Amino acid sequence: MNPIWLLRMAKWAHHPPSVKRVILVFAVIALALLIAGIQWMGWWPDWATSERVPRRF
């Protein structure tokens, strides 16, 4: 493990993030899971799906 990560963990232990930040992170994760679930079930609209553009060399 990189020592930088140990310092970062110590910083988080001494100064944890605020409740608002934790709620924001969980809300973003929930939104991403919701979008992935909608797409997996096939309910995602075609107009919101991007198409791959072929690369030219």
Side-chain angles (χ1 to χ4, degrees):
M1 181 180 285
N2 194 347
I4 299 290
W5 285 101
L6 292 173
L7 292 173
R8 184 175 290 180
M9 287 188 282
K11 179 182 174 186
W12 273 50
H14 292 302
H15 304 288
S18 67
V19 175
K20 288 183 179 181
R21 171 124 351 164
V22 172
I23 291 172
L24 175 70
V25 168
F26 281 124
V28 168
I29 291 171
L31 181 65
L33 289 174
L34 177 70
I35 291 172
I38 289 172
Q39 185 176 9
W40 181 74
M41 294 177 84
W43 296 344
W44 192 254
D46 288 335
W47 60 265
T49 304
S50 64
E51 296 180 11
R52 289 186 165 227
V53 178
R55 291 195 278 172
R56 293 184 179 191
F57 292 102

